[in-house]
Amino acid sequence: MRCPYCLADDDRVVDSRAAEGGAAIRRRRACRACGQRFSTYERAERGPLAVRKRNGRVEPFEHAKVLAGIEKATKNLALAEDTPRRAAAAVEARLRSLGTREVASHTVGAEVLAVLRDIDPVAYMRFASVYKGFTSPDDFRRELAVLDKQRPPKPPT
């Protein structure tokens, strides 16, 4: 590893620990030439994931698109600040766990709905109304009925 300060490639690892929930390793390093300390992160390299659109086109999977959709659905809701980021990461992890290099766009949408169902019913309905193309109040009623059946009952207070 090259030192970012003096560009020497003689350093030693001072400390290593798990980072990003175990998805990476953070290494604290010290340059033997100049003495400066710096951190590096080691992550597993993942292969590309592609999304097959309804029209047959194939595009690279874009984490940012999933995150943007989740952020829109959760906007102005009383949720933890990192909820959208965690939800998008969960969607990507589920898609990658399928073990294929290509997933259908409806699979991506279904995974987002599944994650939002567990986060907040309003966020779920916001996303569902766009994803499923609601055109009438009856569409909302039908989806709410489905959501009520799928959500576990609230414990008595």
Side-chain angles (χ1 to χ4, degrees):
M1 173 60 53
R2 240 179 237 290
C3 172
Y5 302 100
C6 71
L7 302 179
D9 65 354
D10 185 21
D11 66 68
R12 66 185 177 87
V13 175
V14 177
D15 180 44
S16 291
R17 61 181 62 184
E20 300 173 11
I25 298 173
R26 177 182 180 263
R27 298 199 193 280
R28 193 74 181 131
R29 298 175 179 271
C31 177
R32 292 181 190 211
C34 70
Q36 290 288 330
R37 289 185 173 213
F38 58 97
S39 295
T40 60
Y41 291 85
E42 184 177 314
R43 293 175 187 81
E45 188 172 47
R46 297 185 286 197
L49 184 61
V51 178
R52 180 168 297 279
K53 301 295 211 169
R54 290 184 179 131
N55 65 8
R57 243 183 33 246
V58 177
E59 295 181 358
F61 174 81
E62 291 185 44
H63 180 85
K65 281 185 178 180
V66 172
L67 179 59
I70 292 171
E71 284 175 337
K72 285 179 188 174
T74 58
K75 186 176 182 179
N76 297 328
L77 297 177
L79 301 172
E81 187 177 319
D82 66 340
T83 298
R85 184 186 54 76
R86 287 179 183 259
V91 168
E92 184 173 356
R94 286 183 186 181
L95 294 173
R96 289 188 181 278
S97 73
L98 297 174
T100 61
R101 292 184 160 258
E102 187 177 292
V103 294
S105 61
H106 67 83
T107 304
V108 177
E111 290 298 337
V112 172
L113 280 174
V115 167
L116 289 175
R117 181 183 309 116
D118 296 335
I119 292 174
D120 187 271
V122 172
Y124 173 88
M125 289 301 294
R126 286 176 179 171
F127 189 85
S129 69
V130 174
Y131 173 67
K132 295 184 176 186
F134 289 3
T135 58
S136 73
D138 290 335
D139 294 335
F140 283 92
R141 286 187 201 98
R142 276 193 296 276
E143 195 64 32
L144 277 171
V146 170
L147 181 62
D148 286 341
K149 287 179 188 175
Q150 292 175 345
R151 289 179 59 87
K154 290 184 179 179
T157 54

